[in-house]
Amino acid sequence: MNRDSLRPISLRSKVIITAVLCLLIPAASALSLSSYWTQNVLKRQAIDNAEASMDVVHQYVLTLIQNMIYISNKIQFDPEINSILLQNKAFEKSKSQQRDPQIWMGERKIGQFLDNLLMDDSLYITLLLEDGTSMTNYAYKSMNPSRYLDEAWFPKLNELTALETFWVGAHRMYMQGRPHSLTIARAIKGPFDKPYAYLIISLPEEKVRKVLQTYDSNQQIMIVDSGGLILSHNDSSKIGTALAYDESELYVSSKALSFGGWQIVSLVPYNHITRFITQLFRSIGIFQLILFSLFVILIVYMMDRFTKPVLKLARLASKIDSGNLEFRSHIKGRDEVGILGTSFDSMLSRIQVMIRQIETEQNLKRQMELEMLQAQLQPHFLFNILNSIRINSMSQGHDETAGLLLSLSSFLRMTINRNNEWVRLEEELETMTHYVKLMNFRHRETIRFEMYCSSDSSVFKVPRLLLQPIVENAILHGLEHTGGTITVSCWVEEEHLIVAVKDSGKGMPREEVEQLQSGLADGKHKPHAGIGLTNVYDRMRLSYGTDCGINIESTVGFGTTIRLSMPISGGGEFDVQADARRG
């Protein structure tokens, strides 16, 4: 598609788009930042809540297990119970023998001790004797304790010391309605190497599960043993299974218990943590979308009213572009558009007046051009007359007058000639020689003009009449029409052309030199001599840029030296033809 065929976007559309973007970008940025910060805060809060829940469960389970250990210690180290158990070991007899009443009374006493140890059924305590006799705090009809003898872990109790505890973990209970328990076991040995009794304490898993189920259903809290096997879970179907989870979808935290290698593990889905945040910002987004739509409708309506005068001016400008300046907008008002319409109408009126003036000036300009063409013959006529007078003076023996006419003609030619703003340095010095001769004749002075220039410096070009203001200052203000010497030295130094103009005049005090030098630096000229130096410096800056400079040195009674520094690669250029002639 041709780009020229595309319709340009109107000012009203640009204003509306800009206003919408100015609202949309900050709103979107603020929403994104607030979403990010709020999400982090709420996520951190949800994580803290999950960890707080785990801390409560940890403390609860720790209390239960510590209670189990406390009861096991109390039973194992009770002197009366150990005495009865040892007495039972001492009166061992065959199965055909009748049980001794004393043994029966001891077992009954242990049973009563176990019944009185707990006020509820929170723990199931079992004492298994070496001969298979059992004493419990529960009825045999609920669970037969002899079934512990068939467990795979039971033979390991014989390997324990008297102070060790075997952490059975999640154990299947043999009673209806209570399928699992958290069980610990000990071997009661006393002074013997072989146990003479076994202590088994079981905590129904359902008591722990009830606590786990009081928290958020989306949070999984469980007890896991050292092998990663789940001992208790708020979902009973997962008890006895291995712990497995996807870290990319779940936030995992754990806290170790101080026994058996068990730990409390909490799993919370990330989508559950951010669920509330997502809902919150969905509502905020819908609300902002409604407000944004209302704003767009309002801005379009207001911009249509505000830009109508501007569109009228644009149509007027299109008509004027065709060349007809008679149309006017007639837009009034105190606002910017009204002022613009009034100014536009006034401008059209002034343009019509200016066009008539320009037509008149063009006619006058044509007449002046004819006069200027005629005036171009006058300088040539003047130089020819001066040359004729000089030749006549020489023929009559007036050599001094002829020399003055030659100097005047050369200086006038350099002054009037506008064809070339750059001259060779040797031509500039020759012009200054003529200028000094004319000044000597005018003021009847005896001023010596000396030049010391290296051969490689005189071939470079410099701005025409660059040295004239400096030489004039030296004559008028340095020598003060009393005669003296003006010396010009030229050389090349570090890719710069150096021109030093020194006079043997009265000089200047240091304060005046500093004031004059600072005036050149800040562009403020000083009276008298300062004006000429400022003009020279301004021409140098225009010709060479910033890589040039003027340095002033003066001593009272010994004269003043003006040193010009100009880059060789600047406005001045090397004169190849002149250099070839010198070679």
Side-chain angles (χ1 to χ4, degrees):
M1 183 181 292
N2 188 3
R3 182 177 297 180
D4 296 336
S5 63
L6 296 177
R7 184 178 180 181
I9 301 176
S10 64
L11 175 63
R12 178 171 59 181
S13 300
K14 293 179 181 179
V15 173
I16 293 174
I17 293 173
T18 303
V20 170
L21 291 178
C22 289
L23 176 68
L24 181 61
I25 294 175
S29 302
L31 182 61
S32 300
L33 290 176
S34 62
S35 173
Y36 175 76
W37 290 332
T38 306
Q39 184 174 4
N40 287 340
V41 172
L42 295 179
K43 183 177 180 180
R44 183 70 260 173
Q45 183 65 38
I47 292 174
D48 291 342
N49 293 338
E51 292 181 350
S53 302
M54 188 181 64
D55 290 340
V56 174
V57 173
H58 174 269
Q59 187 61 39
Y60 176 76
V61 174
L62 184 62
T63 301
L64 292 177
I65 301 299
Q66 287 177 344
N67 187 42
M68 294 173 65
I69 295 175
Y70 168 75
I71 291 175
S72 67
N73 290 334
K74 188 173 182 178
I75 295 173
Q76 182 172 0
F77 299 109
D78 186 271
E80 187 176 5
I81 292 179
N82 276 275
S83 176
I84 295 172
L85 294 176
L86 289 173
Q87 185 180 10
N88 181 281
K89 182 177 178 61
F91 288 98
E92 287 181 352
K93 50 187 176 298
S94 63
K95 294 182 180 179
S96 61
Q97 294 176 316
Q98 187 178 358
R99 288 177 61 83
D100 189 283
Q102 188 175 357
I103 294 176
W104 181 82
M105 290 297 294
E107 293 176 352
R108 182 179 177 82
K109 186 178 290 187
I110 291 177
Q112 292 176 348
F113 177 82
L114 296 179
D115 288 337
N116 298 329
L117 192 61
L118 296 173
M119 298 302 294
D120 55 18
D121 59 348
S122 60
L123 294 176
Y124 289 80
I125 305 173
T126 303
L127 266 175
L128 282 175
L129 303 183
E130 188 178 9
D131 60 355
T133 305
S134 61
M135 289 152 281
T136 67
N137 67 336
Y138 53 89
Y140 287 173
K141 65 178 180 179
S142 300
M143 185 180 73
N144 185 3
S146 62
R147 299 182 69 174
Y148 283 121
L149 300 175
D150 299 330
E151 294 291 340
W153 50 267
F154 193 85
K156 297 180 181 180
L157 299 181
N158 294 321
E159 303 173 2
L160 301 178
T161 64
L163 299 178
E164 284 185 300
T165 300
F166 184 78
W167 298 88
V168 180
H171 177 260
R172 183 169 55 87
M173 293 189 73
Y174 307 112
M175 59 178 60
Q176 187 177 3
R178 292 187 174 179
H180 298 93
S181 67
L182 301 179
T183 302
I184 63 173
R186 282 187 175 184
I188 302 177
K189 292 185 175 183
F192 306 102
D193 293 335
K194 186 178 179 182
Y196 53 85
Y198 302 94
L199 175 61
I200 303 169
I201 301 177
S202 297
L203 171 67
E205 186 272 336
E206 63 181 4
K207 291 187 174 296
V208 179
R209 190 179 347 123
K210 288 180 179 179
V211 177
L212 303 182
Q213 290 175 345
T214 58
Y215 296 99
D216 191 344
S217 59
N218 291 283
Q219 181 181 6
Q220 302 180 49
I221 304 178
M222 65 200 76
I223 302 175
V224 182
D225 66 7
S226 59
L229 194 68
I230 298 176
L231 306 179
S232 181
H233 197 287
N234 49 7
D235 183 2
S236 59
S237 64
K238 295 186 178 180
I239 298 175
T241 62
L243 175 62
Y245 54 85
D246 186 357
E247 293 185 359
S248 63
E249 298 180 356
L250 297 172
Y251 171 75
V252 183
S253 60
S254 62
K255 196 164 187 177
L257 295 167
S258 57
F259 39 75
W262 295 3
Q263 59 180 344
I264 308 294
V265 178
S266 172
L267 303 178
V268 182
Y270 282 117
N271 57 4
H272 173 68
I273 295 176
T274 58
R275 182 186 70 254
F276 174 75
I277 304 170
T278 304
Q279 295 175 353
L280 174 64
F281 283 97
R282 184 181 296 114
S283 301
I284 294 176
I286 294 174
F287 180 71
Q288 286 198 344
L289 180 61
I290 295 173
L291 289 180
F292 179 75
S293 301
L294 293 176
F295 174 80
V296 170
I297 295 174
L298 179 62
I299 196 84
V300 169
Y301 172 74
M302 298 302 294
M303 288 300 103
D304 182 68
R305 296 195 60 183
F306 294 157
T307 56
K308 274 186 177 180
V310 179
L311 294 176
K312 187 176 181 181
L313 285 175
R315 298 190 188 99
L316 177 61
S318 300
K319 294 178 180 179
I320 294 173
D321 185 57
S322 62
N324 192 341
L325 300 180
E326 300 298 330
F327 293 101
R328 297 294 183 269
S329 67
H330 302 293
I331 297 175
K332 307 294 181 181
R334 296 183 179 181
D335 58 358
E336 290 81 358
V337 178
I339 296 174
L340 180 61
T342 303
S343 301
F344 196 75
D345 293 343
S346 300
M347 180 187 66
L348 291 176
S349 300
R350 289 195 299 270
I351 289 176
Q352 286 183 313
V353 175
M354 292 174 62
I355 289 175
R356 289 192 289 268
Q357 291 178 350
I358 291 173
E359 291 175 351
T360 303
E361 291 175 357
Q362 289 294 331
N363 294 330
L364 295 175
K365 186 177 180 179
R366 295 189 187 95
Q367 297 177 1
M368 293 177 62
E369 289 176 352
L370 294 175
E371 295 176 357
M372 290 177 63
L373 290 174
Q374 296 175 357
Q376 287 180 356
L377 300 175
Q378 295 177 3
H380 299 284
F381 174 76
L382 178 62
F383 293 144
N384 292 334
I385 292 297
L386 288 175
N387 189 45
S388 300
I389 295 174
R390 182 177 66 84
I391 294 174
N392 184 46
S393 298
M394 290 178 62
S395 63
Q396 296 181 8
H398 302 296
D399 294 336
E400 181 180 1
T401 302
L404 290 173
L405 289 173
L406 177 61
S407 298
L408 177 60
S409 177
S410 299
F411 186 75
L412 286 176
R413 189 181 301 276
M414 181 65 69
T415 303
I416 296 174
N417 185 15
R418 301 294 181 181
N419 295 329
N420 191 0
E421 290 295 325
W422 295 85
V423 297
R424 293 194 307 274
L425 179 60
E426 60 182 357
E427 296 179 10
E428 177 72 6
L429 294 177
E430 182 180 355
T431 301
M432 291 303 101
T433 302
H434 293 306
Y435 176 74
V436 172
K437 287 182 180 180
L438 294 173
M439 293 299 288
N440 281 334
F441 174 76
R442 176 186 175 190
H443 299 289
R444 300 299 178 181
E445 300 165 349
T446 305
I447 299 175
R448 294 188 302 277
F449 187 73
E450 300 177 353
M451 296 179 294
Y452 301 95
C453 294
S454 62
S455 59
D456 58 344
S457 64
S458 59
V459 295
F460 288 101
K461 289 187 176 182
V462 296
R464 184 168 52 86
L465 296 177
L466 179 67
L467 301 180
Q468 188 273 334
I470 300 176
V471 174
E472 183 178 2
N473 282 343
I475 296 174
L476 299 180
H477 305 290
L479 302 178
E480 293 185 333
H481 308 293
T482 58
T485 302
I486 297 176
T487 304
V488 178
S489 303
C490 312
W491 68 94
V492 177
E493 179 180 305
E494 297 180 355
E495 300 300 323
H496 280 71
L497 174 63
I498 308 300
V499 180
V501 181
K502 183 180 183 305
D503 65 72
S504 60
K506 65 176 183 177
M508 295 181 290
R510 185 180 62 183
E511 294 78 7
E512 187 175 350
V513 173
E514 293 177 352
Q515 184 180 14
L516 190 59
Q517 191 77 58
S518 63
L520 292 175
D522 58 21
K524 298 179 180 179
H525 66 78
K526 307 301 176 184
H528 306 300
I531 298 176
L533 287 178
T534 301
N535 292 336
V536 172
Y537 185 62
D538 290 342
R539 291 186 64 194
M540 290 175 61
R541 291 291 296 270
L542 290 173
S543 301
Y544 299 100
T546 57
D547 192 19
C548 63
I550 295 180
N551 184 51
I552 305 172
E553 298 178 359
S554 183
T555 304
V556 176
F558 292 92
T560 302
T561 301
I562 307 297
R563 179 172 171 172
L564 309 181
S565 176
M566 296 159 285
I568 294 176
S569 58
E573 58 186 49
F574 188 78
D575 194 331
V576 179
Q577 295 180 355
D579 185 58
R581 289 195 301 271
R582 288 179 177 273

